Structure formats: C-alpha cells, structure tokens
Amino acid sequence: MTGPLVDLTGRHAVVTGAAGGLGRAVAQTLAGVGARVSVLDVNAAGAAQTVAQIRDGGGSADFIGCDVSDAGRIAAAFAQVAASGPADILVNNAGINPRVASLEVSDDVWARTLAINLTGYFLCARRFAKQLLPAGGPGGVARGAVVNVSSIGGSTSLGRGNFSYGVTKGGVEQMTRELAVAWAPRGIRVNAVAPCQIATDGLRALSVTPSAEGQLIDTFLRGIPLGRLVEPGEVAAAVTFLASDAAAMITGVILPVDGGNLALNAGGTIGE
C-alpha cells in the first residue's frame, strides 16, 4: 500500500453528539483527513464551536440541529444532509448516562435512555442507509460505513448506577453485529468502538482530588493494564480507521479502545 493509510478526501461524514467531548474529537479527526462533516446535535452553541474549529483548521463542516430521540427530527436532519450530497460515513455518538441504581430507574429515565442511546442509533443508521443506497445505482449497492460508539459497559457491568446506560450499550453492540450482516451485501460496513473511561476535563480534575470521586479514578486505573484513561483523540483515531478504506474488510467488529480493560479478569493481576 502506498500513500497515506487513511484518506477521507471526497467523503461526507455525519457525526451525532458532536457539540463537545468525544464527538467533537471524532468530527475534527475525520475532517483532518479530508472528510466533509455534518455535525448533528441538540446543542447549537457547542456544535457551532465544533464547526468553527474545523473550519479554522481548513476543514469543511456544517451544523444541523437534531434530537436523536425524535424520529421526525432525524428524518428532517438527514434530508438536510442529503441535500448537499448523501453521506457515506455515519458515526453514532450521541448519548446520555443518567446514573441511577436499577431499582430507582423511573419509567421516564428508562424510556429516554433507550430512545437516545439505542433507538436513536438505529433510526440514524436506517436513514443513513436508505439515503446512501440510491447512490449505489442498480442493485442498491454502495460504499458506506457506520461506526457506533459503545463502551466497555456494553460487555461488562460497571455498576455505580450505570445500569440503563450499560443495557443500551449492550444493545448497540448486538445491533452492530446484526446490521453488519444484514447490510454487507449492500456494501455498508457496520462496526463499533468500545472505549474505557475517557480523559475528559472533568475526570482529569477528579484525578487530583482527594475525595471519594478522586478515589474512583484509582478504581478505573486498576482495571486498565496500560495504566491511564483513554484520550478522546485516541478513540477518534479508531473511529476514523473503521470508517476508512483501510478497514474495507472489517465489519461486525466491536473494537475495544480500552488499554486492555476487557482483557483483564476481575480477579487478575497486571504485569506478571
């Protein structure tokens, strides 16, 4: 192989939940290797900042307001996306994590978490596939990639009130496998990334706090053999790889970006 391993020049990516954090890092990374990025989010101010940063760096991006818990707003958002040419990359990232113990989860919290974290992923993926396939010509075959953002909480229980979040991430991982198989004949690959705890500004602040929350960081680190939290850019790099032609033969994969967390048994030790 010659030339850069990942080049998304001429590609159009949709990233949900990109007003900040991991979504912003993903949008910036995709734009940095040539993709035009449509940022979908309910947070107009944060999304506008993401778009401005991409444009200031010489990339191409636009903001489209969208609440992924609302099927009608998803339809309207993807109509706007298609108006400027169908997207061929979708990154499902929007999500919430209302930390509530299982016996205390209200019906409303349960329904909203499912609506955003799982149903929203599917509705966006379905809209993406339907608007992309006509571009594939006769037979409905096209080149496209969906990357779903899951979590180590989709494969193992995190406890600490992450019940409804973990259930939805488990659903995301099975949906990834199901759609990968269903859509493979149509030329659409579907994969997911499963990060460990991400080094957000909030978690960095906790790491130097002598408190119960600060001790929680130590708990996280004991479960990560590489000994640190994952950076947003490292997760974004994995997403970008899976979206690119460098991963052309990869579909149905849940890629841990977790410093070895899922490889470590709860009763195991590190470094022996």
Side-chain angles (χ1 to χ4, degrees):
M1 180 178 291
T2 60
L5 182 63
V6 175
D7 182 359
L8 299 181
T9 301
R11 307 288 294 276
H12 182 186
V14 171
V15 183
T16 70
L22 176 57
R24 175 175 289 173
V26 168
Q28 291 174 329
T29 303
L30 292 170
V33 291
R36 176 164 57 97
V37 181
S38 291
V39 174
L40 273 59
D41 208 297
V42 293
N43 181 348
Q49 187 175 12
T50 298
V51 168
Q53 290 177 358
I54 290 172
R55 290 177 178 175
D56 288 347
S60 176
D62 59 278
F63 163 61
I64 299 173
C66 182
D67 179 349
V68 299
S69 70
D70 186 321
R73 294 186 67 178
I74 290 173
F78 274 88
Q80 285 186 256
V81 168
S84 60
D88 53 8
I89 295 169
L90 168 65
V91 181
N92 273 318
N93 171 69
I96 60 172
N97 185 4
R99 291 183 175 85
V100 184
S102 57
L103 291 177
E104 305 301 324
V105 175
S106 68
D107 292 353
D108 288 345
V109 166
W110 177 254
R112 180 157 177 76
T113 308
L114 284 172
I116 295 173
N117 291 11
L118 184 56
T119 303
Y121 274 38
F122 171 61
L123 295 181
C124 286
R126 186 175 64 184
R127 284 283 173 183
F128 167 81
K130 286 186 174 181
Q131 61 89 41
L132 177 62
L133 288 172
V141 177
R143 178 182 68 166
V146 177
V147 184
N148 295 318
V149 175
S150 183
S151 162
I152 55 172
S155 300
T156 57
S157 176
L158 298 176
R160 300 186 301 272
N162 288 285
F163 171 72
S164 56
Y165 174 82
V167 170
T168 60
K169 290 306 184 181
V172 164
E173 296 191 358
Q174 184 59 18
M175 181 178 70
T176 297
R177 289 182 282 263
E178 294 284 354
L179 292 183
V181 173
W183 292 353
R186 301 292 190 96
I188 300 175
R189 298 182 299 105
V190 186
N191 292 292
V193 293
C196 61
Q197 291 82 6
I198 299 173
T200 61
D201 290 341
L203 281 183
R204 287 191 184 95
L206 289 180
S207 68
V208 295
T209 303
S211 64
E213 291 82 3
Q215 292 171 17
L216 184 58
I217 299 296
D218 294 335
T219 299
F220 295 161
L221 296 180
R222 283 197 296 272
I224 302 174
L226 287 183
R228 62 178 178 85
L229 306 181
V230 68
E231 296 292 332
E234 294 172 319
V235 184
V239 170
T240 301
F241 164 70
L242 290 173
S244 76
D245 288 344
M249 196 57 181
I250 300 175
T251 196
V253 163
I254 315 300
L255 176 62
V257 190
D258 68 346
N261 175 274
L262 293 178
L264 175 65
N265 183 273
T269 56
I270 299 170
E272 294 185 3

